[in-house]
Amino acid sequence: MKISQRAQRIEPFYVMEIAKAAADMARQVADSASPMIFLNIGEPDFTAPLRVQQAANRAIAHGHTQYTPALGLPQLRERISAWYATRFGADVAPSRIVITAGASAALQLACLALIEAGDEILMPDPSYPCNRHFVSAAEGTSVLIPTTAQERFQLTREKVEAAWNDKTRGVLLASPSNPTGTSIAPEELRRIHEFIHSRGGITLIDEIYLGLSYEAHFGHSALAMPGELGQSVISINSFSKYFSMTGWRLGWLVVPEALTPVIERIAQNLFICASTVAQHAALACFEPDSLLAYERRRAEFKARRDYFIPELNRLGLRVPVMPDGAFYAYADCTSAAAKLGVSGSWDFAYELMRRAHLAVTPGRDFGQAAPAQFVRFSTANSMAQLRQAVARLESVLA
């Protein structure tokens, strides 16, 4: 059977390869004194709040399970619009919001609507691997631009300008970012978007971790930029991270007004609509008591960050930039790997799995800029588990 060139361009998702190995190890040590601790997957350990679960049950009980419009439930689009206004001071009309089957579907729709074969999309290196594969699936080419800790592992206007050429269509950014948990400073994001807008390009920004911002300076949506700048940016978001609904597969896309019918036409053909039950459940995310619960969880994620990052630094797993959002730590493992007699993040991850029964993600997935130097820890786990992970790291690295 002949496999398409498109499919062959999609690289393995090494995060999942590590996850499979960790699951195998977990079965072997399940009854031991040190069962596996998983700090490799970026999935909140919280589930949807009770009110959200009850809303899903009511939708099923009342028969609200048929197709919705391809753009999503009108009332859900309105509630997201209101959330942008109250949380981020952003004026986002409901007519610009498209409900999707997760952020993945949102990015796929945006890429299919805007990218032609051969178009280049600039992205920071390191960055989330699936984002570049969506570009590739749309016949575009991802151009990874190495970034530094001094740049918070984010692009700058100067780097975007230097890389821009006749094939460049735009940029795909993430703020806060996976794997680094760092955001673009609002003033720098504006400078980048002003340049791109002047060239007639597109600014796509992954904001799925925006609700989990911990620093006031960085917790701003790109959609809050003034005037035409805010109206022309394209934002991808999700109910998975801040709203703790990973397996519900629900997200959304915010686009310029003129692009909505284009996205609608593609969505009608590819997806019909996002999960109806998940959409009805998501309405309850914006109830006052649900929002209070989410804010308590955000505080807990921050407390985990504030404990775990200094401990990694103390143990020689240096985190060069303090994450200002999400639940990741991108740590330099060079010194720690040498202590274990291995070289590079891939072998270090497997050695930790073997010696400490601790699963982390090596940098191989996230780009070409020093992937062997870094591992990603996820702090989407309980404080008790994080303390145990630190104790095990200390034991094997002492």
Side-chain angles (χ1 to χ4, degrees):
M1 180 181 296
K2 183 180 178 181
I3 306 300
S4 72
Q5 290 296 312
R6 181 187 305 106
Q8 293 181 52
R9 286 195 299 269
I10 305 299
E11 302 166 17
F13 194 7
Y14 293 108
V15 168
M16 294 307 170
E17 296 300 312
I18 291 288
K20 287 191 290 186
D24 288 341
M25 175 70 75
R27 285 189 286 271
Q28 298 173 35
V29 301
D31 297 324
S32 73
S34 59
M36 184 66 69
I37 295 176
F38 294 92
L39 301 184
N40 56 320
I41 299 296
E43 181 172 29
D45 54 325
F46 300 109
T47 59
L50 180 60
R51 185 178 287 273
V52 176
Q53 298 176 40
Q54 291 171 336
N57 290 334
R58 283 197 304 273
I60 294 170
H62 295 160
H64 297 154
T65 57
Q66 296 176 311
Y67 296 138
T68 71
L71 295 176
L73 287 173
Q75 58 268 47
L76 182 55
R77 298 166 73 198
E78 290 168 1
R79 292 199 183 186
I80 292 172
S81 172
W83 183 67
Y84 274 117
T86 57
R87 178 67 184 271
F88 303 108
D91 181 13
V92 180
S95 55
R96 294 178 58 198
I97 297 170
V98 181
I99 307 301
T100 61
S104 297
L107 188 52
Q108 182 181 14
L109 288 167
C111 289
L112 290 175
L114 296 166
I115 295 174
E116 299 280 10
D119 283 348
E120 292 183 354
I121 301 295
L122 310 180
M123 301 173 61
D125 186 348
S127 58
Y128 182 58
C130 296
N131 287 358
R132 63 180 183 264
H133 297 325
F134 283 115
V135 172
S136 180
E139 307 295 335
T141 301
S142 297
V143 178
L144 294 178
I145 301 175
T147 60
T148 66
Q150 290 71 31
E151 297 162 333
R152 304 183 58 76
F153 296 114
Q154 295 283 359
L155 293 184
T156 63
R157 172 168 173 155
E158 286 72 24
K159 284 194 169 180
V160 171
E161 286 193 43
W164 199 275
N165 61 62
D166 291 342
K167 293 182 179 180
T168 308
R169 183 73 177 97
V171 300
L172 173 51
L173 309 170
S175 185
S177 167
N178 177 3
T180 64
T182 60
S183 299
I184 308 173
E187 56 273 18
E188 189 62 34
L189 177 58
R190 178 170 177 167
R191 293 179 69 240
I192 291 171
H193 186 47
E194 283 175 338
F195 168 75
I196 294 166
H197 191 58
S198 72
R199 293 298 185 96
I202 55 173
T203 300
L204 288 150
I205 184 159
D206 171 350
E207 295 189 322
I208 69 174
Y209 294 100
L210 184 61
L212 293 174
S213 289
Y214 311 125
E215 312 297 339
H217 179 65
F218 294 107
H220 304 277
S221 173
L223 298 165
M225 285 188 286
E228 180 62 24
L229 292 176
Q231 297 294 317
S232 58
V233 76
I234 296 168
S235 172
I236 294 98
N237 217 313
S238 173
F239 284 94
S240 290
K241 309 301 182 178
Y242 177 70
F243 294 103
S244 306
M245 296 176 68
T246 51
W248 301 67
R249 306 314 304 133
L250 194 66
W252 72 87
L253 180 66
V254 181
V255 298
E257 197 88 44
L259 192 56
T260 303
V262 179
I263 297 289
E264 179 180 23
R265 186 170 69 248
I266 301 172
Q268 286 170 335
N269 282 277
L270 293 187
F271 302 107
I272 301 179
C273 68
S275 163
T276 301
V277 173
Q279 290 189 64
H280 281 284
L283 289 169
C285 291
F286 303 99
E287 296 295 331
D289 56 343
S290 295
L291 291 173
L292 284 173
Y294 289 129
E295 284 302 288
R296 285 193 295 268
R297 294 174 179 189
R298 183 168 71 101
E300 174 61 24
F301 280 126
K302 181 180 183 296
R304 295 173 185 180
R305 180 202 69 166
D306 292 346
Y307 162 73
F308 194 66
I309 304 297
E311 288 297 295
L312 289 181
N313 288 330
R314 180 178 66 84
L315 294 169
L317 286 155
R318 188 176 66 87
V319 180
V321 187
M322 184 66 159
D324 58 83
F327 34 62
Y328 300 115
Y330 204 51
D332 187 334
C333 67
T334 306
S335 174
K339 285 186 176 182
L340 298 189
V342 298
S343 176
S345 61
W346 185 262
D347 289 344
F348 177 70
Y350 274 92
E351 198 68 7
L352 277 189
M353 201 181 305
R354 185 178 71 83
R355 294 198 196 187
H357 301 165
L358 181 63
V360 302
T361 299
R364 182 179 294 185
D365 262 325
F366 304 114
Q368 301 158 1
Q373 184 178 347
F374 290 95
V375 290
R376 187 196 72 181
F377 291 84
S378 168
T379 54
N381 211 324
S382 70
M383 188 68 84
Q385 288 274 280
L386 293 177
R387 293 186 187 280
Q388 182 61 38
V390 167
R392 293 187 191 181
L393 286 169
E394 190 158 29
S395 175
V396 300
L397 293 176

